[in-house]
Amino acid sequence: MQQQVNSVFAVADVFNNEALEEREDMTPLKLIKLCYIAYGFYLGYGKGKLFREKIEAWKYGPVIPALYHDLKKYKGSPIRESLRYDGPPLDDHEKLFVQKVWKAYKKFSGLDLTNLTHQKGTPWREVYDKTFRFSAIIPDASIKAYYEGIIETGYGT
C-alpha cells in the first residue's frame, strides 16, 4: 500500500503555528518559500515528497499555486491567525522535520528567502531562465539534486 502524501496546507500549518507561538511575523511570501525549502530538503534527504501539490517557477521564485491562492488575501501583511487547516496533520517525524527547517530559516524574511531561491544554479533559476514562462513546473528531480548538493556541503537542516 502506497503512503498518502500530505497536503502543502499541513506543512504551512506547522510553520504558521510555530510563528504564532514565537510571535514571529509570517507573511504569505515567507510561508510559501519555507514550504518550498522544506520540500526541497525532504527530497534531498531521500525521504520522498513532503506534500503533493506542484511547484511552479513564477517571476518571484518557486510558488505552490494552491497555497498562494489561499494566502493572497493577506497580501504582504503578516498572518496573525491560525490557517484552520482541517485535513490530516503531518506525522510526528514530518512535523519535527518542518520544525527543524523553521528553526534554521525563521530569521529570514520572505524577500531574503526569495533571494536564496533566485541564486544561480537553483531549480527556479534553471527552469525560469530556460522557459521564460510563467508557471512552468519545477521538476522534483531538479529540486532533489539541488538540495542534495546543499546537504553534501554541510548546509542541510
Side-chain angles (χ1 to χ4, degrees), residues 90-150:
L90 300 180
D91 68 28
D92 290 343
H93 174 77
E94 294 160 338
K95 183 176 180 182
L96 190 60
F97 187 89
V98 171
Q99 288 170 327
K100 196 172 182 183
V101 172
W102 168 251
K103 286 180 183 143
Y105 287 89
K106 68 182 176 180
K107 65 183 176 258
F108 295 101
S109 70
L111 186 58
D112 293 335
L113 296 175
T114 296
N115 290 335
L116 282 176
T117 64
H118 278 219
Q119 294 177 2
K120 186 177 180 180
T122 62
W124 174 85
R125 172 75 59 199
E126 302 272 316
V127 170
Y128 198 76
D129 284 355
K130 286 180 185 171
T131 65
F132 294 104
R133 226 183 80 228
F134 177 78
S135 78
I137 292 176
I138 303 175
D140 283 347
S142 177
I143 297 169
K144 183 177 197 254
Y146 178 78
Y147 280 90
E148 283 174 338
I150 291 176

Side-chain angles (χ1 to χ4, degrees), residues 12-98:
D13 195 49
V14 173
F15 278 128
N16 191 58
N17 287 339
E18 291 294 313
L20 289 172
E21 285 177 24
E22 296 181 23
R23 293 179 171 32
E24 292 281 339
D25 280 349
M26 178 67 78
T27 62
L29 180 64
K30 183 173 181 172
L31 184 52
I32 291 166
K33 299 309 179 213
L34 286 170
C35 287
Y36 167 75
I37 290 166
Y39 184 88
F41 276 117
Y42 209 73
L43 283 174
Y45 278 112
K47 297 177 181 293
K49 294 174 79 154
L50 184 58
F51 54 82
R52 64 181 170 269
E53 289 81 4
K54 64 183 176 175
I55 299 172
E56 297 179 354
W58 288 17
K59 182 178 180 181
Y60 296 107
V63 173
I64 304 106
L67 184 59
Y68 166 80
H69 290 297
D70 192 66
L71 298 175
K72 66 184 177 184
K73 63 188 171 200
Y74 297 103
K75 299 181 180 172
S77 299
I79 302 164
R80 303 266 188 230
E81 60 191 8
S82 170
L83 297 177
R84 293 183 182 84
Y85 171 68
D86 61 0
L90 300 180
D91 68 28
D92 290 343
H93 174 77
E94 294 160 338
K95 183 176 180 182
L96 190 60
F97 187 89
V98 171

